[in-house]
Each structure stands twice: as C-alpha cells, then as structure tokens.
C-alpha cells in the first residue's frame, strides 16, 4: 500500500492534501464506533500535507522525492505513548491529560523526516499496561470485526486503525506482545523488532528492558518498508544497536524453499484454543508445500517466561512511573488507573530490600535460561513459528475483573520480549465466527529480514489483507 | 580519653565537565539564570533516556587513580528510587554496587608527618536539582539536575578530627590541580558528610551505632560540628546511655548537633540496574594503562612540567606525546639530586639527542651525569689550552682582528681537541673573548 500510494502521489494522480483529507474524513466517520484515536490532529496533518504538496510542486526530478522521502505523504498515526512535539501525549492515562511534549521521539522524527504525515494519536491501554485495550482512561477500542469484542492490546488503536484503513502505518510498542496481540485479532501485520533495533528515545517507558518499538500495517511489505525508516542507531538511546540496517525489501519475495521452520512444542499445547491451533497447523502445511522443512523444537523454559515477565516488567514500571508525581506536569497520582497502581505495587514489592534477590534477581537469572533456549533453537532452525494468542478475543468487559486471565494472554508473546528477539505477527486465517487469527514468526537477533521473507511468502499465498471488516 | 574515634568521610564533588552526566546540557549549576540549562533528559520528561558522558567517566577515573583508589573493570549505573521535588525521575542514577573504584590507600604528608587513609569506594552519580524556599513557596532550579558528581567514601580510619579536615583539604587541592573540579565549597562543588561514633579504647570492630552529619559546607564547620558531636557522644557514653544510628545536623550559633532522621525513617531505595544504560566495561589492559602517567589530561601534564621549571615550548611538546611524557617524568625523577637540570633533560628529549626507544631514562641520566662530572672547569688548565689554540691558529687570530668573530669557533674547536671534549665550552669562550680583546 505504501508503494502504491507513493506512486499515486509522485505521479500526481492525487495530492497529499487530497489523500490526507480522505483519511481524516474516514477517521471522522468511523472513530466514534471504534475509538481508535485519542487525538486527531486535523490542523497539523493538513499543514504538513500542504508543505509536501508544495515540495513536490517545486521538484522536477521525482526520483529525488522517492529517494529522500521514502514515506512521502504516507498517512501515519502514533500510539499515544510516543512523544510528539506539540501534539498532546497522554499515554491513555488521565494523569497525563493535557501534556504536550516539547520534543519528538526519535521514531516519530525519523518518520517525519522521511515524509510521513501524522494524522493523530492512537488509543491504547494506559501506559501500555494490558492485552485488551480496556485499560485506557479514554474508553476501550472496539474490534473492527466485532464491536463487542476487544481488538487486542496494548496497541489497541493501532490494530483497529489499520484494519479499518484509518491510516497506512500505525506505530506501537511491544513490551510483552502489545503489537502482535492486536495484529492477530485484527487481521493485520505487526513487527516487534529486536530489542535495540529501533530507538526507544521519546517513547514513554513501560518496562525499559523489554520495550520494543514497532508498528502495524496491512501488509508485510509495508511493515518492512517502514522499519527501514525507523531502525538504526540513535545517540540518544544507549541501548540502540550500531549494527547496520539492511534493505528489508530486497529479496523479500525469495520464498521459503530450503528454510527450516521450527515449531516450539510448548506453544502448541492444549492450553491454546483449538481453532487457533488448527489455523497454525494450516499455516505449517502451507509452508511445507512451499518447500520449507518443518522441525519440532523445544523451548524448555517457556513455562517460566510469564512469571519472569510479571516480575521484571512491574519492577521496571514501578520505577518508570515514579516521575508522575504531580509536581512538574500532569495530574496528581490519584489519577493513576487501577492497572497502573496494581503494577506499581507488585513492582515496588519485588524490588524491596529482602525481596530483590528472591524476585527480581532470580527472574533475571531465569531470563538468561530463556535466552539460551532460543539461542539453541536458532542453531537448528531459521525461524520459529507459533500462535500469537492462546485465546480468541474476549468480549469487552468480560475479563476486566480478572487481571490474571488478562496476564495469561501474554503467555506466547512474552518470551520473545524477554529474549530480545524479533517477531513478526501475520494473519493466518479466521475462526468459525469470523474473528481473525494470527501467527508469529520469531527469528534470531537482528534477523528481521528473514522474518519478512517468511511472512511475505505466506501473505502471497493467503492474501488475507484483501479481507476487510464490515464497518 | 577512654574512647577511640571511629570517623569516616564522604566527599561529594561536582565534576567540571563540559556537559552534564547524561545529556548534552551545559554543566553550569552555579550562576546561570535558573532553568536555562535544561532538556527533556535532565527534566525527567516522559520518554527521555540517559546516555553516559564519557568525559565524566574519564575524569572520575583520573580522580580515583590520583587518589590511590583501585579502578574497577566494570561500572554499572543503578536506580536509587525515592521521591523528592528536586529529583524529577523519582530516581537518582548512581553506582552503589559497581563503582568507579574501590579500596586502595591515599597517602599524603602534612608538616613532614606521613598520613594515610583507606578508601571504601568512589562512585559516580548525577546531582539532583536545587530547591530554593522563598516567600512560602519552593522553587526548583534544574540547572543542577544531572550534573556529574563523585561520591568518595573513606573507611572510618581517621585517628583525629584534624586528620579528617586535612584530608578533605588535600582532596580539594588535588581536584583543583588535576582540573577535575573547582571544588569550591561555597558554590556547592564540594560537600562533606561525616560518619562518627566512639568505641572503648582497645575495643575491636565497629560500634553498634553511627551518627551521620550531613550538609557540611566548610572545613571550619566540619571541625566544629565534629568536636561538638564527639563531646556529646562522650558524655552520653559516660552516663551509660545507648546511642542510636541517626542523621544529625549542626547549629553553629548554639554549638549543638540535633537529630534530623533516625534509622527507622531510613528509605528503602529499591536499587536495581538501570536498564537504559548497558554496563560500562574496561579491559585489564585499559585499567593498567590508566594506572600509568599517560592517563592524565595533557593540559595537566603540561602545567606540572612548567611548574618544574621546564620551558613552556618543551612542556607543550612533551605533554602531548604520552610516550615522551612518561620517559621525561621518569628521567626527571632520576635526575633529582644530581647536577643535571630539568631543562637539559627536556631539551635533549625534545631535540631527539637521545633515542627514547633505545636508552632507558636511567641510562640517559647516568650518562649525562658522567659527562657533566668529567668536564674541566679549572681556569688554569683551560688557560693553557686557550693559549696553545691562539698560538696554533694565526689565521683565525687574523680573521678575528679583522672583525670576523665567527673564527672564534676554530679556536674553540682546537681547545676541545686538546681537552678531548672535556673543556667547559662556555668558560673557554669567555676566556678567549677576554684574551683577544
């Protein structure tokens, strides 16, 4: 879609302003139903569109535009935990209502410099805490395929916006599945890049050691193209990697012939919904028919991953949220939602003197074992294939009083975050009642390129991006 | 006195780097308009991330090295979590478990008396912002937020209060000499804390309590506060009272210390490694190199040479070349107490009259000394050679008489030949001048 839109814009079949206006109009008509956007930046988007139209008007050599602005005129929207200069950034929490950052996150700036147009800010679970989108202080986002169901989270608005064509790229974050979960529930594609591949600078921290900065798109190709823009070393992020960014589109259509795809048996247990397992099996068969060899592998410490994640993540949250003390900006601390308070309490407890060794330190040691599991697996296979969610999306409100059930939704996505490896979530099919199902392709550190190749091979076969919700 | 002093110091020192510890804001906490050197990072805005300042780490290592504390191969920043208006992130980044250096001894001399103190550790951390209370309101200046800070902790080894004061003064002097900090206590560049308790004479181990005296802003304050506190503790122990762990302040007017915080009120800081900063590691070789003289800023080396009466030009050349500097400083050490001047040594090194890759500094100096000792300066002997040179070189004499003073070189050459190079050239020249005019 990026490619096609770029072509339309540079061939001047369409002006950026016309394109942006049509998206704004669509958002206007659908957002009340979906609640995907918290802020719609009409003024900023139109101003930016005009700027770009003038730029192309004065540029005779359109190759320059294509080269310098790989996202020329592409309408994007950012999850509301991305700092956006002069656009309100709430993290979907009342505590930050009215906060206008004085700076852009690096990922925002890179997209802007590449020519993207920001349409607004997307809904999510407050501070990205959640797997359903229900923890937003601005109300839950609805699943475009069934308004009574959750769209996945925490990047709930990102999945819903892409599924409903409210923008072409929706940014998000994945701390423990927060991009892959909404992608799997909305028939969209999400990349959770390697930890350190995309700068975290300017993105409100949830759990600093697992936060990964990625995005949701309709196609694998778009996903790869956008990552080429956001990935790379950032002097503002000491954990960002210096390793060079490859051209993710180059060779994306090479197929999977000869590749080894591992199926971790711990991810296909009875605990996973039968329809999801079935859809995954269909995908496995497909890959086999495309010439890949399927290998069963074991990630022995998978059962401990969730426990480790729910110690490390709240511990870091309890410290990261300390700055919202109501002194310099934002509202007072009573404005924290229930989930934030819950995680602050768990994390504070886990880090306290006398408990630190038993919880945080122990969790970090187990984390090392989980990393080792993946390392060993990638000695044998090129990628790992597994379901994203163990369950189909519940009804909105169904689980709000059962935090543990919500936490369990992270069970198949958390390990990749703990290990820092990349994972691509792609559409795999639909359930009998018409809800989307996704699978994830996990790869070795910094091997996003292979993930896109594998994802593209499936996309080309299934063409699920053609199927859209009835809005 | 039947009690023995158990006294340790904690010195906080702001490093005078160009930028702050984790951002590129100007490091100028004193004297600027409030909140003019700030950015999302030192204001602790959502999403901002710290990136450690290399210059600050290096200055911390130079300071630790100079003070005799052992550099560590791994520095890890951790979060010290607590709430305070001057702490925008609600945690301070510090290095409690993996500091810049640990253990080691600092030795110095005072009035010919040798003194030493053991280090516990030297941490690098960030300073907090500054609170000011005015018109019933609290104002916060974030210019100080994120300024690099050293926390230097000694073992409780001081024998006397005077020794602790002398030590603090010595640290201040060195910080200034190596240009790590202006160490101005009035401006808050240097702040002291003392831990003081008493134990019965001959008793081993540390007492069960420890009184911390904070916010010491001058050496006099430190001396007075500690004297008063030691007196208070002595009287209490004499009366058989039990003393408790606490933080006490000092009231200079009333000459008393007063309780500020007891142990029960102590924070649980919930330390854990800062996930935003990977561990900073140095190899054994790098640490060893830092231990050598070369691990010093060139400007400091230059200043030290100039102070030792070396010409500025030579000092500049030598200080900018680590190998040459190491050679020079060793040669200068060797030459101490001999007749060889620093000027001779340095000009020979700079003018490559000695091959520093082949000749050791020791050999170099010994050779110079030997040559110098064998030089003939005796006037009567020199006169004999000078007279003979005049007799042997009528042409040169003619030239000189015609005004060609350069011909004097021929005569000097002859003298050097007769003396086998041992004649004092300057004296020969003077003698010739005298005899020919």
């Amino acid at each position: 879609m990026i490619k096609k839109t770029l072509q339309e814009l540079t061939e001047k079949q369409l002006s950026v302003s016309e394109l942006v206006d049509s998206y704004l109009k669509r958002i206007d008509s659908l957002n009340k139903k979906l609640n995907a956007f918290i802020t719609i930046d009409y003024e900023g988007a139109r101003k930016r569109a005009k700027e770009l139209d003038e730029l192309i008007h004065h540029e005779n050599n359109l190759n320059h535009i294509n080269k310098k602005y790989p996202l020329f005129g592409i309408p994007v929207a950012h999850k509301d935990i991305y700092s956006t200069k002069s656009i309100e950034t709430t993290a979907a929490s009342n505590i930050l209502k009215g906060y206008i950052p004085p700076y852009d996150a690096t990922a925002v700036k890179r997209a802007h410099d590449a020519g993207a147009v920001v349409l607004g800010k997307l809904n999510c679970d407050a501070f990205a805490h959640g797997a359903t989108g229900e923890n937003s202080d601005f109300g839950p986002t609805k699943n475009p395929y069934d308004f009574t169901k959750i769209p996945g989270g925490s990047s709930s608005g990102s999945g819903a916006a892409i599924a409903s064509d409210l923008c072409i790229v929706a940014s998000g974050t994945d701390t423990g599945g927060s991009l892959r979960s909404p992608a799997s529930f909305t028939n969209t594609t999400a990349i959770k890049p390697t930890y350190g591949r995309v700068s975290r600078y300017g993105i409100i921290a949830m759990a600093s050691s697992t936060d990964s900065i990625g995005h949701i798109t309709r196609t694998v190709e778009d996903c790869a193209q956008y990552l080429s823009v956001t990935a790379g070393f950032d002097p503002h992020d000491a954990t960002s990697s210096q390793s060079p960014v490859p051209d993710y589109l180059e060779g994306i259509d090479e197929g999977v012939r000869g590749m080894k795809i591992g199926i971790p048996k711990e991810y296909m247990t009875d605990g996973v919904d039968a329809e999801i397992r079935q859809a995954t099996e269909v995908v496995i068969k497909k890959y086999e028919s495309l010439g890949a060899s399927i290998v069963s592998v074991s990630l022995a410490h998978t059962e401990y991953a969730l426990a480790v994640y729910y110690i490390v993540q709240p511990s870091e949250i309890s410290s990261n949220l300390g700055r919202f003390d109501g002194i310099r900006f934002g509202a007072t601390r009573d404005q924290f939602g229930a989930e934030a308070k819950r995680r602050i309490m768990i994390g504070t407890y886990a880090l306290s003197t006398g408990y630190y060794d038993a919880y945080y330190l122990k969790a970090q040691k187990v984390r090392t074992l989980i990393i080792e599991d993946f390392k060993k697996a990638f000695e044998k296979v090129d990628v790992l294939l597994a379901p994203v969610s163990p369950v189909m999306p519940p009804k909105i409100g169904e689980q709000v009083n059962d935090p543990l059930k919500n936490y369990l939704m992270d069970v198949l996505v958390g390990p990749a975050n703990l290990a820092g490896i990349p994972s691509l979530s792609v559409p795999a099919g639909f359930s009998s009642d018409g809800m989307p199902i996704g699978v994830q392709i996990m790869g070795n550190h910094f091997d996003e390129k292979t993930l896109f190749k594998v994802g593209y091979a499936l996309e080309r076969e299934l063409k699920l991006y053609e199927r859209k919700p009835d809005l | 006195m039947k009690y023995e002093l158990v006294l340790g110091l904690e010195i906080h020192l702001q490093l005078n780097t160009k930028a702050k510890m984790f951002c590129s804001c100007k490091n100028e906490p004193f004297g600027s308009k409030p909140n003019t050197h700030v950015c999302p990072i030192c204001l602790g805005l959502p999403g901002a991330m710290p990136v450690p300042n290399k210059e600050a780490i290096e200055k911390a290592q130079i300071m630790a090295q100079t003070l005799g504390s052992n550099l560590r191969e791994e520095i890890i920043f951790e979060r010290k979590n607590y709430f305070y208006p001057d702490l925008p992130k609600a945690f301070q980044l510090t290095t409690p478990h993996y500091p810049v250096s640990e253990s080691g001894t600092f030795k110095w001399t005072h009035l010919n008396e040798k003194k030493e103190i053991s280090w516990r550790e030297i941490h690098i951390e960030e300073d907090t912002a500054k609170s000011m209370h005015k018109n019933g309101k609290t104002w916060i200046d974030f210019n100080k937020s994120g300024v690099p800070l050293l926390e230097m902790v000694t073992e409780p080894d001081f024998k006397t209060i005077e020794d602790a004061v002398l030590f603090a003064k010595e640290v201040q002097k060195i910080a200034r000499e190596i240009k790590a900090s202006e160490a101005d206590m009035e401006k808050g560049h240097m702040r002291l804390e003392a831990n003081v308790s008493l134990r019965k004479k001959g008793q081993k181990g540390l007492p069960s309590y420890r009184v911390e005296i904070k916010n010491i802003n001058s050496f006099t304050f430190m001396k007075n506060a500690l004297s008063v506190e030691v007196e208070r503790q002595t009287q209490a122990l004499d009366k058989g009272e039990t003393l408790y762990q606490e933080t006490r302040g000092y009231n200079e007017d009333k000459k008393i210390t007063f309780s500020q915080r007891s142990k029960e009120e102590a924070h649980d800081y919930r330390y854990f490694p800062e996930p935003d900063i990977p561990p900073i590691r140095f190899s054994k070789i790098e640490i060893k190199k830092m231990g050598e003289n070369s691990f010093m800023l060139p400007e400091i080396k230059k200043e030290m040479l100039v102070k030792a009466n070396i010409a500025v030009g030579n000092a500049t050349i030598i200080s900018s070349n680590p190998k040459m500097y190491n050679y020079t400083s060793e040669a200068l050490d060797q030459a101490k107490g001999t007749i060889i001047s620093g000027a001779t040594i340095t000009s020979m090194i700079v003018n490559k009259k000695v091959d520093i890759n082949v000749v050791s500094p020791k050999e170099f100096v010994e050779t110079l000394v030997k040559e110098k000792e064998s030089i003939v300066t005796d006037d009567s002997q020199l006169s004999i050679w000078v007279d003979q040179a005049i007799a042997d070189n009528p042409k040169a004499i003619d030239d000189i008489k015609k005004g060609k003073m350069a011909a004097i070189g021929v005569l000097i050459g002859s003298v050097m030949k007769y003396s086998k190079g041992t004649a004092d050239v300057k004296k020969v020249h003077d003698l010739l001048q005298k005899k020919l005019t």
Side-chain angles (χ1 to χ4, degrees):
Chain A
M1 277 181 73
I2 293 180
K3 211 191 241 171
K4 193 170 149 269
T5 311
L6 280 176
Q7 197 179 353
E8 282 170 2
L9 288 172
T10 48
E11 286 174 3
K12 299 186 186 172
Q13 300 169 20
L14 185 71
S15 74
V16 181
S17 294
E18 283 165 345
L19 177 76
V20 164
D21 271 334
S22 75
Y23 272 98
L24 289 173
K25 216 167 137 193
R26 189 168 169 83
I27 295 169
D28 253 351
S29 70
L30 290 172
N31 196 46
K32 282 207 176 65
K33 283 192 210 168
L34 294 164
N35 201 23
F37 279 77
I38 291 177
T39 305
I40 306 163
D41 187 18
Y42 298 96
E43 210 184 311
R46 289 191 175 122
K47 201 177 143 217
R48 174 76 172 144
K50 229 175 134 185
E51 250 174 51
L52 293 169
D53 278 332
E54 266 165 44
L55 200 106
I56 201 168
H57 183 74
H58 290 109
E59 180 62 72
N60 297 321
N61 188 343
L62 292 177
N63 274 338
H64 284 178
I65 296 275
N66 283 330
K67 256 206 184 121
K68 204 171 163 204
Y69 304 101
L71 299 176
F72 185 84
I74 299 300
V76 306
H78 295 298
K79 186 178 184 178
D80 212 18
I81 63 170
Y82 279 54
S83 296
T84 41
K85 193 177 177 173
S86 73
I87 309 175
E88 186 180 11
T89 298
T90 66
S93 170
N94 280 331
I95 207 166
L96 268 179
K97 218 171 158 179
Y99 168 64
I100 298 173
Y103 75 116
D104 273 332
T106 300
V108 170
K109 194 177 175 296
R110 287 195 175 168
H112 174 91
D113 292 348
V117 180
V118 177
L119 301 179
K121 303 299 288 291
L122 295 164
N123 204 355
C124 56
D125 288 290
F127 291 108
H129 304 166
T132 66
E134 291 163 292
N135 292 329
S136 168
D137 287 350
F138 298 84
T141 304
K142 316 284 169 54
N143 192 314
Y145 287 88
D146 180 347
F147 292 156
T148 68
K149 293 198 169 150
I150 63 105
S154 67
S155 308
S156 52
S158 309
I162 293 300
S164 319
D165 288 321
L166 303 186
C167 54
I168 294 182
V169 182
S171 71
T173 56
D174 191 316
T175 304
S178 281
L179 277 163
R180 286 164 286 160
S181 147
S184 75
F185 290 159
T186 60
N187 191 36
T188 54
T189 295
I191 180 74
K192 170 242 172 285
T194 308
Y195 181 79
R197 180 70 295 182
V198 180
S199 167
R200 288 182 290 123
Y201 184 72
I203 291 159
I204 299 176
M206 178 182 161
S208 312
S209 74
T210 64
D211 284 351
S212 300
I213 311 309
H215 44 270
I216 297 183
T217 54
R218 183 164 287 285
T219 66
V220 174
E221 195 180 41
D222 283 0
C223 209
Q225 200 163 352
Y226 194 78
L227 187 65
S228 301
V229 171
T230 54
F233 174 70
D234 176 13
H236 282 302
D237 177 356
T239 65
S240 74
S241 171
Q242 306 254 14
S243 80
V245 180
D247 179 354
Y248 294 119
L249 287 178
E250 185 256 331
I252 196 167
D253 56 357
E254 280 173 2
V256 293
R257 187 160 299 281
M259 271 198 201
K260 278 189 187 151
I261 298 178
I263 313 297
K265 59 174 195 220
E266 291 81 2
Y267 285 62
M268 291 288 271
T269 62
D270 291 347
V272 178
D273 181 281
E275 281 200 274
I276 295 173
R277 262 185 293 153
Q278 204 186 332
T280 311
E281 294 291 353
V282 171
V283 169
I284 293 172
K285 293 252 155 56
K286 191 92 234 150
Y287 277 124
E288 227 170 358
S289 74
L290 291 172
S293 54
I294 306 296
V295 185
S296 175
V297 297
S298 170
L299 300 167
H301 297 90
T302 302
E303 62 171 312
Y304 306 108
L306 197 69
V308 169
Y309 178 65
Y310 273 95
I311 287 169
V312 172
Q313 170 251 96
S315 296
E316 294 179 10
I317 284 174
S318 73
S319 174
N320 282 335
L321 294 185
R323 71 188 64 194
F324 301 105
D325 54 9
I327 294 176
R328 292 162 306 276
F329 52 81
T332 47
R333 276 181 278 186
D334 55 343
Q335 294 300 309
F336 270 128
E339 189 57 33
K341 285 180 189 164
R342 187 176 293 125
R343 296 190 190 198
I344 290 170
M345 283 190 285
I346 294 172
T348 303
Y349 183 85
L351 288 178
S352 297
T353 307
Y355 298 104
Y356 178 82
D357 289 3
Y359 292 106
Y360 192 80
L361 207 60
K362 184 74 144 282
Q364 292 292 14
K365 284 179 186 161
V366 179
R367 189 175 178 175
T368 310
L369 297 175
I370 292 166
I371 295 170
E372 285 299 316
D373 278 355
F374 279 110
K375 237 188 211 162
K376 272 185 222 148
F378 289 122
E379 281 167 13
K380 283 188 256 169
V381 299
D382 296 300
V383 295
L384 292 165
L385 176 74
V388 174
S389 171
V391 292
M392 291 306 294
K395 284 206 175 307
I396 290 171
E398 195 183 324
Q399 290 182 181
V400 278
N401 293 318
D402 195 346
L404 196 61
K405 213 166 187 177
N406 284 326
Y407 294 173
L408 283 168
M409 290 176 75
D410 296 340
V411 69
L412 305 178
V413 277
N417 295 83
L418 291 172
I421 58 167
S423 177
L424 179 76
S425 173
V426 287
F430 281 81
S431 68
S432 50
D433 62 348
M435 293 307 288
I437 295 171
V439 291
Q440 58 175 330
I441 304 151
M442 292 174 273
N444 215 340
H445 289 105
F446 300 103
D447 197 14
E448 283 83 357
K449 201 170 160 131
T450 304
L451 302 191
F452 290 131
K453 219 179 264 184
V454 176
Y456 187 86
L458 185 69
E459 178 176 276
R460 197 162 48 180
E461 287 293 310
L462 303 179
K463 293 196 168 42
L464 288 167
Y465 56 86
E466 287 174 353
R467 184 160 165 181
K468 296 193 177 180
D470 189 13
L471 294 165
Chain B
M1 204 166 99
K2 55 186 187 190
Y3 303 112
E4 216 169 59
L5 187 65
V6 179
L7 173 62
L9 277 191
E10 239 176 68
I11 301 181
H12 282 93
L13 190 73
Q14 280 179 350
L15 295 174
N16 61 354
T17 49
K18 286 179 210 78
K20 290 186 182 180
M21 187 66 227
F22 299 111
C23 60
S24 52
C25 285
K26 200 170 180 192
N27 175 8
E28 201 174 274
F30 192 84
S32 298
K33 196 166 165 254
N35 298 313
T36 49
H37 305 309
V38 294
C39 74
I41 298 159
C42 54
L43 285 173
L45 292 187
M49 295 172 73
V51 175
N53 175 346
K54 275 197 184 130
E55 189 197 359
I57 306 269
E58 193 174 297
K59 281 202 165 168
Q61 288 174 317
I62 292 173
M63 189 71 189
Q65 178 73 42
T66 313
L67 292 174
S69 186
N70 305 320
L71 297 183
R72 289 175 39 87
E73 287 169 36
E74 187 175 50
I75 301 173
I76 297 181
F77 282 99
E78 294 191 40
R79 295 184 180 182
K80 179 183 182 180
N81 296 284
Y82 67 96
F83 286 102
Y84 211 73
D86 65 14
L87 193 68
K89 300 193 294 286
F91 57 79
Q92 180 196 27
L93 287 177
T94 176
T95 50
H97 303 105
Y98 306 88
V100 172
S101 71
E102 60 196 358
S103 64
T105 312
F106 176 59
K107 294 175 182 165
W108 79 102
T109 316
H110 178 70
L111 302 175
N112 291 325
E113 199 183 330
K114 283 199 169 144
K115 299 196 177 280
E116 63 175 63
I117 180 83
S118 302
W119 286 110
R120 182 163 290 171
E121 58 218 357
I122 296 180
H123 304 281
I124 186 158
E125 57 188 32
E126 57 176 337
D127 211 340
T128 59
K130 187 179 168 190
S131 314
M132 288 163 289
H133 307 284
K134 210 163 62 181
N135 309 330
K137 283 180 180 163
T138 297
W139 303 78
I140 305 176
D141 177 6
F142 288 93
N143 286 350
K144 188 163 87 72
S145 173
V147 163
L149 198 62
L150 284 190
E151 188 191 60
M152 301 181 275
V153 188
T154 74
E155 292 293 349
D157 281 0
F158 291 104
K159 301 282 185 301
T160 63
I161 294 172
E162 288 68 31
D163 274 3
V165 174
L166 286 172
F167 166 78
K169 285 183 174 168
E170 201 66 22
V171 169
Q172 183 187 50
K173 197 179 99 193
I174 287 172
R176 287 173 176 168
E177 270 173 13
I178 70 169
K179 296 200 189 315
S181 173
E182 272 88 70
D184 188 333
M185 293 184 79
E186 270 179 30
K187 290 182 180 166
H189 297 147
M190 181 167 161
R191 310 189 285 267
L192 307 171
E193 278 174 38
N195 291 305
V196 60
S197 54
L198 300 176
R199 68 178 160 214
K200 283 222 173 79
K201 247 192 187 140
Q203 185 191 317
K204 290 255 162 69
L206 295 175
S208 62
Y209 73 100
R210 191 180 73 193
V211 172
E212 209 171 314
I213 300 184
K214 289 198 164 187
N215 303 318
I216 301 172
N217 54 17
S218 80
F219 297 123
T220 318
F221 181 112
M222 175 156 121
K223 193 171 166 224
N224 295 345
L226 284 175
S227 307
V228 167
E229 177 57 19
V230 166
E231 184 53 33
R232 182 190 75 87
Q233 290 184 18
T234 305
Q235 284 178 12
L237 291 175
D238 277 349
K239 277 188 255 171
E241 288 173 19
T242 310
L243 290 165
Y244 297 98
Q245 190 144 330
E246 60 179 339
T247 301
R248 295 180 74 88
Y250 173 60
N251 185 319
E252 183 98 273
D253 296 332
K254 295 187 186 159
K255 302 265 179 279
I256 55 161
T257 64
F258 55 91
S259 184
Q260 283 180 318
R261 199 168 73 196
S262 71
K263 192 189 175 185
E264 286 70 37
E265 295 164 71
H267 288 290
D268 182 346
Y269 291 117
R270 293 175 284 120
Y271 288 105
F272 74 102
E274 166 59 277
D276 287 343
I277 305 177
I280 300 167
R281 297 200 170 95
F282 302 92
S283 68
K284 279 199 169 65
I285 294 162
E286 283 172 303
I287 296 284
K288 192 173 164 271
K289 268 195 189 152
M290 289 176 202
E292 292 162 5
N293 278 328
S294 58
F295 192 57
M296 214 192 278
L297 301 173
E299 51 181 312
I300 315 281
K301 291 178 184 167
K302 182 180 156 188
E303 220 163 79
M304 285 171 68
L305 289 170
V306 171
K307 255 188 211 159
N309 290 322
I310 306 303
V312 179
N314 285 348
T316 309
I317 294 167
I318 292 167
S319 59
S320 62
N321 179 336
K323 194 169 179 187
M324 205 185 254
Y325 179 82
N326 283 352
Y327 192 92
T328 305
S329 62
E330 233 180 281
L332 289 175
D333 267 356
Q334 290 288 337
K336 260 180 204 156
T338 71
I339 44 171
I340 309 298
S341 73
T344 308
I345 287 174
T346 51
S347 70
M348 284 191 71
I349 291 171
V350 168
N351 296 317
K352 307 216 159 76
K353 292 275 163 60
V354 53
D355 187 347
I356 64 173
N357 295 313
V358 176
V359 186
S360 79
K362 194 168 175 242
E363 289 164 357
F364 168 49
V365 173
E366 278 170 2
T367 314
L368 283 179
V369 169
K370 245 184 232 155
E371 282 174 8
K372 190 96 186 177
E373 277 170 357
S374 61
I375 281 172
V376 178
T377 53
D378 175 48
D379 278 350
S380 52
Q381 176 61 60
L382 290 175
S383 275
I384 294 169
W385 286 328
V386 165
D387 289 342
Q388 191 177 344
I390 291 170
D392 287 354
N393 294 290
K395 188 170 180 301
I397 302 298
D398 263 6
D399 287 346
I400 290 167
K401 278 181 182 156
K402 283 178 195 151
K404 284 189 191 161
M405 290 307 286
I408 207 164
V410 178
L411 302 175
I412 293 173
S414 292
V415 172
M416 294 317 276
K417 210 167 110 193
Y418 310 142
S419 69
K420 293 190 176 110
T422 60
D424 184 319
V425 179
K426 196 169 175 302
K427 277 195 145 177
V428 171
H429 186 265
D430 290 349
L431 269 174
L432 279 166
Q433 288 255 318
K434 232 194 272 169
K435 296 202 177 193
L436 294 173
T437 48

